[in-house]
């Protein structure tokens, strides 16, 4: 029996583990992939108070080592469901009982739903220009999206790629300032009122088929396709009994208390305004403190 099971070893989960271990609690971290969460994808963090510059991997490793050295146990195993009455967590391999659960599963990339999407991940298809843009230096790429993050991705890629196409289903971009900045760039080309019909290639992307509002199809030769539709909370099975908002984020106030006793939420998966490291770590601290205070 654990005192606290934390699902997700990103900044929120690791911060929660540090606070729980320092209170002498028996902590299990469950991590589906690798420790550190989304931040391992960034080269440079310059906005974490007290650290003027650090790489994402170093930041995550420091947090991880701090939690493990304090006594947290980690299992690299995906949590697939929780029993909110019994307070147990089932993973791909086992079921673990606990006195409190902290949900810190973060967010995942929103997908297009195109048939071949998963097949091309890492073979021309990416969700992160900062992480993968450099692979496409001097090449032609395409950004699919219309929110601010799509325009930011395009701007970033325009500094290293030959041509950057931006596909938008409508003719509107919400962020007019960013749109203007992009229009000033010679190598950015907008493809408006259009959608991707299919991604074509064998072992890598050869081209994408683009369909316009009238049904005309054109082939766009690109080496890289960057999907920039934003992020979504996942883990539908785990969140079954937990109250979420219309977008799937777990509803909780600053004390990180969910609608179910002894179950708390921390980090990007919580319904909040700012999804950053500082707020993820703060949530982790709050969630662990509340879990300890209310432990049965
Ligand atoms: C490219 C990039 C650059 C960024 N740069 C900055 C920056 O410079 N400064 C800043 O403040 N913020 C930055 N952010 C945002 C920051 O990374 C996030 O706000 C932060 O990582 C959120 O932490 P989290 O622990 O809530 O979630 P995440 O980091 O998403 O971690 C969640 C973890 O849970 C795991 N998980 C999910 N489901 C399960 C499951 N069912 N079972 C077990 N484990 C599971 C995931 O594998 C993941 O490791 C950046 C984000 C990205 C993508």
């Amino acid at each position: 029996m654990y005192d606290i099971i934390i699902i997700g070893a990103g900044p929120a989960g690791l911060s929660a583990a540090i606070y729980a271990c320092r209170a002498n609690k028996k902590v299990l971290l469950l991590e589906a992939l690798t420790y550190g969460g989304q931040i391992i994808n960034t080269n440079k963090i310059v906005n974490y108070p007290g650290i003027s510059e650090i790489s994402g991997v170093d930041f995550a490793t420091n947090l991880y080592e701090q939690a493990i050295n304090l006594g947290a146990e980690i299992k690299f195993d995906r949590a697939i469901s929780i029993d909110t009455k019994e307070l147990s967590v089932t993973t791909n391999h086992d079921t673990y009982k606990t006195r409190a659960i902290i949900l810190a599963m973060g967010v995942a990339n929103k997908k297009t739903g195109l048939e071949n999407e998963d097949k091309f991940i890492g073979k021309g298809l990416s969700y992160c220009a900062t992480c993968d843009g450099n692979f496409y230096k001097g090449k032609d790429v395409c950004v699919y999206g219309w929110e601010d993050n799509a325009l930011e991705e395009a701007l970033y890629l325009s500094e290293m790629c030959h041509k950057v196409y931006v596909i938008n289903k409508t003719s509107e971009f919400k962020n007019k300032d960013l749109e203007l900045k992009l229009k000033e760039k010679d190598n950015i080309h907008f493809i408006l009122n259009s959608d991707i019909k299919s991604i074509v290639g064998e072992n890598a992307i050869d081209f994408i088929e683009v369909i316009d509002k009238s049904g005309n199809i054109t082939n766009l030769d690109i080496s890289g396709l960057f999907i920039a539709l934003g992020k979504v909370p996942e883990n539908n099975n785990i969140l079954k009994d937990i109250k979420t908002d219309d977008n799937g984020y777990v509803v909780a106030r600053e004390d990180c208390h969910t609608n179910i006793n002894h179950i708390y939420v921390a980090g990007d998966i919580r319904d909040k305004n700012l999804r950053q490291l500082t707020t993820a770590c703060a949530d982790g601290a709050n969630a662990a403190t509340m879990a300890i205070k209310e432990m049965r």
Side-chain angles (χ1 to χ4, degrees), residues 11-209:
L14 290 167
S15 302
I18 290 167
Y19 273 71
C21 287
R22 291 202 69 241
N24 215 19
K25 297 298 169 202
K26 190 174 180 209
V27 173
L28 174 64
L29 276 158
L30 293 170
E31 170 52 54
L33 301 171
T34 179
Y35 70 79
Q38 300 164 57
I39 202 61
I40 58 168
N41 295 316
T42 194
N43 284 332
K44 221 196 289 184
I45 302 164
V46 290
N47 60 358
Y48 194 83
I51 303 174
S52 46
E53 189 177 317
I54 188 167
S55 75
V57 169
D58 284 349
F59 181 84
T61 304
N62 289 347
L63 265 183
Y64 173 74
E65 284 177 353
Q66 196 176 353
I68 298 301
N69 290 339
L70 283 166
E73 189 184 335
I74 187 160
K75 288 186 194 291
F76 291 96
D77 198 1
R78 178 176 288 277
I80 50 172
S81 65
I82 59 179
D83 185 325
T84 52
K85 290 197 179 70
E86 290 293 317
L87 281 186
S88 66
V89 181
T90 298
T91 66
N92 278 332
H93 296 101
D94 224 327
T95 295
Y96 303 95
K97 290 201 80 173
T98 183
R99 298 163 76 195
I101 297 172
I102 297 177
L103 309 168
M105 291 95 78
V107 287
N109 297 307
K110 216 185 245 181
K111 297 207 169 174
T112 61
L114 285 163
E115 203 188 324
N116 283 336
E117 183 165 2
D118 286 346
K119 169 181 157 184
F120 288 110
I121 294 174
K123 295 174 182 166
L125 190 144
S126 166
Y127 298 89
C128 174
T130 328
C131 321
D132 298 329
N134 216 264
F135 298 130
Y136 301 95
K137 232 179 203 169
K139 297 190 173 158
D140 292 349
V141 298
C142 173
V143 175
Y144 180 67
W146 33 90
E147 304 284 345
D148 293 8
N149 74 312
L151 300 182
E152 278 159 9
E153 298 277 87
L155 203 57
Y156 181 87
L157 291 166
S158 71
E159 296 298 322
M160 62 196 78
C161 296
H162 177 238
K163 272 186 196 165
V164 181
Y165 298 98
V166 179
I167 297 183
N168 180 349
K169 276 200 209 179
T170 71
S171 56
E172 291 284 319
F173 291 100
K174 278 190 206 141
N175 191 323
K176 298 292 166 205
D177 291 342
L178 263 178
E179 185 183 354
L180 269 179
K181 259 191 193 168
L182 261 68
K183 282 184 170 156
E184 283 164 10
K185 294 267 180 178
D186 291 337
N187 62 343
I188 292 189
H189 306 269
F190 290 100
I191 303 178
L192 305 177
N193 296 310
S194 298
D195 207 346
I196 299 177
K197 185 169 180 291
S198 67
I199 311 169
V200 185
E202 276 303 313
N203 296 318
I205 296 179
D206 286 336
F207 62 91
I208 56 172
E209 286 187 313

